[in-house]
Amino acid sequence: MKTRNLIFLTAVILSTACGVNDSDPGDFNVIPYPESVEFYGGRFNAAGKEFHLDSSLDREIADAAGKFAEHLTLVTGKTSSVSFDEGKRGFIFCKDSLAQAESYTIQIKRNSVLVSAGDYNGFIWAMQTLGQMFPPEWYSDEKADVAFTLPCGCIKDKPRFGYRGVLIDSGRHFFSVEEIKRCLDIMSIYKENRFHWHLTEDQGWRLEIKKYPRLTEIGSRRAQTQIEFKADSLDGIPHGGYYTQDQIRDVVDYAAKRGITVIPEIDLPGHMQSALASYPSLGCTGGPYQVAQTWGVKKDVLCVGKEETFTFIEDVLTEVLDLFPSEYINIGGDEVPKDRWENCPACQKRIRELGLKDKDGHSAEQYLQNYVTARVQKWLNDRGRKMIGWEEILEGELAEGATVMTWRGTGENVDSRIWNYDVVMSPRGYMYIDRYQSHEQDREPFSIGAYLPVENVYGYEPYDDVPEYGKSRILGVQANLWTEFIGTDEYLEYMLLPRLAALSEVQWCQSSKKEWSRFRKSLDHSVEIYKKLGLTWCEYAWGIVGMGENRQKARTAQELQQYLDERE
């Protein structure tokens, strides 16, 4: 018992003793960069080292440490055994009950690596840091003929924001479970902990709901897809797919093991044309409707004058709650045209019954959406969950306790009322990663437009132009990958990488720790990781434009300017 207390005390001392001394040993390329790093000289050889686990570790933490040891055995070819004991050499995993959420400390000596954290995610992030400190062969699935060593030193780390999100839109284009898991793997490497899964859209319903089977029988497939900006640029190729409830549970579990919470989005009352095509009575006109084949905001939305619609919403969300244990459920709430409600007898009757009127620059129909939002929010709250939605839910009035995801602009460009609520920052100018990554758009895969290179993502500062009282309401930052024109796994990864690396430092690092030159150097190491994982990435930061067989050397600044001048 005395020995175990000494181990714990050592972890506590180390968690406060690590100073800031960034004397880089030359191969430290961890992204996101830790809060403090100190190196002593010398190295620890990890091959064949034993793992000693504190008996107080939760089963999940012990299992994760065991998986780490198994993988070390695989890549080194030397067995690393695991035991619950008080070893003094090798890897020592120790619980630190005083540690902040998701924080960790790593003390590396010539004969030992002491890892301490207070919760599951803290240990996961510590192991991800160790993985990045190893050679890139760590990410292979076979024995590697390289030395798996670590520089001696002390790393103390904790995140700047608790919410570090990535959205992937499976509604507009469907991606397999295998591809979603590949995205989760890279998110975990970069310590991103919220996977916002956009599962329903006008163009496709992707989630099996057993009480409403036509949502996937009909709503998951569209006849063809718009492939350019013109609405008549249709490819004539059916597109579809959906996730069974067993697949959803598998993904949720897979993500949790990697420190990631899956937040589902069931976008309502707009972006629901796939649901209307499946159940026409849910609309104001009764149809006929079809699963949308083109992009853009659609006028047909759920008819919220009918109680049938709320029965549908609650039935769907009941099954959603059973599948997703996340604290938050995203209900969308964005881009809801009011055209149908203005001319719908049932919706107008609801407006009269509720006594809703035009006031304060908002229409009665906007207040009707507030009614929908508040009703769904209360339903979720009564079941122990929280509601999050896009910033349009602010229009009119918004009940207390909601969380708002802002996308239209940065701090100075948002509705000032937003700072009365918890907020996730996701401004499109920095965080919409469906945009082009170079000015050479004629040589890039076709995209939604605009320009967002990796350095612009890296340069985002969430507190800029935010009033002091609003800064405490910011839960974190999220990047969004909408997929109107992204229909393959390779293109999905190309748009994510390396921008997820830049995003991670915005989310994790204090602004004083961000440094572009250091980060840019570390990206070279990340690329080697991408190669080992078989991922696709944008190479514009390395002077290459395009994807796959279309890759080519980027234009010089002079050539690019000449090209842009000719276009004008």
Side-chain angles (χ1 to χ4, degrees):
M1 180 62 70
K2 290 182 180 179
T3 304
R4 187 169 306 285
N5 289 340
L6 179 61
I7 292 175
F8 172 76
L9 180 60
T10 301
V12 174
I13 292 173
L14 288 172
S15 70
T16 58
C18 291
V20 179
N21 179 2
D22 300 320
S23 52
D24 193 329
D27 58 355
F28 188 79
N29 295 297
V30 174
I31 298 174
Y33 198 76
E35 181 180 54
S36 69
V37 181
E38 184 178 10
F39 296 109
Y40 308 144
R43 300 188 75 86
F44 170 84
N45 185 354
K49 294 299 189 293
E50 295 182 351
F51 282 68
H52 306 279
L53 309 185
D54 189 330
S55 61
S56 67
L57 295 182
D58 298 338
R59 178 182 59 80
E60 290 80 7
I61 297 172
D63 288 346
K67 292 292 184 182
F68 188 89
E70 288 177 11
H71 191 69
L72 184 62
T73 298
L74 172 67
V75 295
T76 64
K78 295 184 178 180
T79 301
S80 291
S81 60
V82 181
S83 58
F84 287 92
D85 59 28
E86 301 173 356
K88 298 180 180 179
R89 291 174 175 265
F91 289 90
I92 304 167
F93 282 67
C94 180
K95 188 74 173 285
D96 178 1
S97 60
L98 301 180
Q100 297 178 27
E102 298 193 275
S103 68
Y104 66 89
T105 300
I106 303 173
Q107 174 73 15
I108 305 171
K109 298 182 178 180
R110 293 179 186 272
N111 295 316
S112 66
V113 176
L114 176 60
V115 178
S116 62
D119 59 11
Y120 181 83
N121 274 26
F123 282 101
I124 290 295
W125 306 144
M127 287 184 276
Q128 291 291 14
T129 291
L130 290 171
Q132 287 195 57
M133 292 172 70
F134 284 136
E137 285 78 5
W138 170 256
Y139 297 92
S140 65
D141 57 2
E142 59 186 10
K143 182 180 180 299
D145 293 324
V146 296
F148 286 88
T149 66
L150 299 167
C152 294
C154 179
I155 299 170
K156 179 185 177 184
D157 206 5
K158 67 176 184 291
R160 181 184 187 185
F161 295 108
Y163 187 112
R164 305 183 300 280
V166 176
L167 176 148
I168 293 179
D169 171 13
S170 288
R172 292 177 174 88
H173 275 98
F174 176 79
F175 298 94
S176 69
V177 167
E178 291 71 24
E179 180 59 18
I180 294 299
K181 287 181 176 180
R182 285 160 65 86
C183 295
L184 292 168
D185 287 341
I186 198 68
M187 283 179 58
S188 183
I189 289 172
Y190 290 136
K191 302 180 177 70
E192 288 147 348
N193 66 351
R194 297 290 191 277
F195 173 44
H196 178 166
W197 205 357
H198 190 75
L199 288 165
T200 64
E201 255 306 333
D202 293 311
Q203 294 81 14
W205 186 284
R206 307 299 178 205
L207 172 64
E208 178 189 23
I209 300 296
K210 293 185 181 297
K211 192 165 185 177
Y212 296 92
R214 291 168 62 185
L215 288 172
T216 47
E217 291 171 0
I218 296 174
S220 69
R221 298 194 64 81
R222 60 176 178 265
Q224 52 190 339
T225 301
Q226 178 183 341
I227 56 175
E228 294 180 0
F229 290 133
K230 294 182 179 180
D232 60 357
S233 61
L234 300 169
D235 63 5
I237 303 171
H239 178 83
Y242 68 92
Y243 307 101
T244 68
Q245 294 198 357
D246 285 343
Q247 288 175 319
I248 291 289
R249 291 189 177 94
D250 178 42
V251 170
V252 168
D253 180 67
Y254 188 90
K257 285 181 169 60
R258 286 152 183 78
I260 300 169
T261 299
V262 182
I263 298 176
E265 180 179 353
I266 308 299
D267 203 348
L268 61 92
H271 292 275
M272 274 279 175
Q273 198 161 310
S274 60
L276 298 181
S278 306
Y279 294 94
S281 62
L282 296 173
C284 291
T285 69
Y289 307 104
Q290 65 174 359
V291 179
Q293 303 169 14
T294 58
W295 312 123
V297 178
K298 309 303 181 185
K299 291 183 178 180
D300 285 305
V301 300
L302 293 178
C303 178
V304 296
K306 302 174 182 176
E307 277 302 304
E308 172 192 356
T309 296
F310 289 96
T311 299
F312 169 79
I313 292 172
E314 293 172 4
D315 287 344
V316 168
L317 290 177
T318 295
E319 296 194 31
V320 167
L321 297 190
D322 183 56
L323 294 169
F324 297 93
S326 61
E327 177 184 25
Y328 283 110
I329 303 296
N330 196 303
I331 58 97
D334 60 313
E335 299 175 331
V336 184
K338 308 302 189 291
D339 307 58
R340 297 291 186 251
W341 293 355
E342 290 171 356
N343 296 289
C344 173
C347 290
Q348 290 302 309
K349 180 181 178 183
R350 177 84 72 179
I351 286 173
R352 291 192 298 273
E353 291 173 346
L354 295 171
L356 304 178
K357 300 183 182 301
D358 298 355
K359 66 176 182 178
D360 299 328
H362 298 287
S363 68
E365 287 74 24
Q366 285 178 313
Y367 286 109
L368 180 60
Q369 183 174 345
N370 295 154
Y371 165 76
V372 178
T373 302
R375 184 165 168 175
V376 174
Q377 180 182 352
K378 182 180 185 305
W379 189 91
L380 288 171
N381 292 164
D382 288 346
R383 288 152 183 81
R385 306 298 183 95
K386 293 182 179 179
M387 182 198 76
I388 187 169
W390 300 103
E391 67 183 87
E392 286 94 326
I393 63 176
L394 279 169
E395 295 174 359
E397 296 174 345
L398 180 62
E400 292 183 4
T403 299
V404 183
M405 186 167 286
T406 180
W407 64 273
R408 288 168 167 166
T410 52
E412 64 180 355
N413 300 318
V414 301
D415 187 330
S416 62
R417 295 176 302 154
I418 200 172
W419 310 120
N420 297 321
Y421 303 89
D422 286 341
V423 180
V424 175
M425 303 298 287
S426 190
R428 55 188 169 185
Y430 295 94
M431 293 290 123
Y432 270 39
I433 55 176
D434 54 345
R435 300 180 171 200
Y436 284 108
Q437 300 186 72
S438 83
H439 281 306
E440 304 185 47
Q441 297 180 4
D442 60 320
R443 305 165 85 185
E444 291 270 18
F446 188 81
S447 181
I448 196 72
Y451 172 56
L452 183 59
V454 64
E455 56 265 34
N456 286 21
V457 175
Y458 192 81
Y460 175 54
E461 169 47 50
Y463 287 161
D464 279 354
D465 302 312
V466 174
E468 283 301 319
Y469 73 90
K471 292 177 181 178
S472 64
R473 303 309 299 261
I474 296 177
L475 301 179
V477 179
Q478 177 172 294
N480 304 321
L481 183 50
W482 306 106
T483 62
E484 281 93 339
F485 301 106
I486 301 171
T488 67
D489 295 348
E490 293 76 17
Y491 194 9
L492 185 78
E493 295 164 10
Y494 179 88
M495 298 300 264
L496 289 170
L497 302 173
R499 291 189 286 200
L500 287 196
L503 169 70
S504 74
E505 296 221 345
V506 175
Q507 297 168 324
W508 184 275
C509 301
Q510 295 294 330
S511 58
S512 62
K513 300 302 296 184
K514 291 171 61 184
E515 181 186 339
W516 172 256
S517 60
R518 183 266 307 156
F519 171 79
R520 175 61 186 82
K521 173 181 173 289
S522 294
L523 273 186
D524 294 339
H525 180 73
S526 273
V527 164
E528 297 305 313
I529 294 174
Y530 304 159
K531 291 177 182 177
K532 295 299 179 184
L533 294 175
L535 297 167
T536 303
W537 68 98
C538 175
E539 299 177 78
Y540 191 61
W542 293 267
I544 302 296
V545 180
M547 183 178 70
E549 296 179 356
N550 297 320
R551 293 167 64 254
Q552 52 193 307
K553 185 177 179 180
R555 295 181 176 98
T556 65
Q558 183 177 0
E559 290 170 336
L560 180 58
Q561 188 59 55
Q562 181 180 351
Y563 164 73
L564 293 174
D565 291 343
E566 290 172 352
R567 286 183 64 183
E568 292 179 358

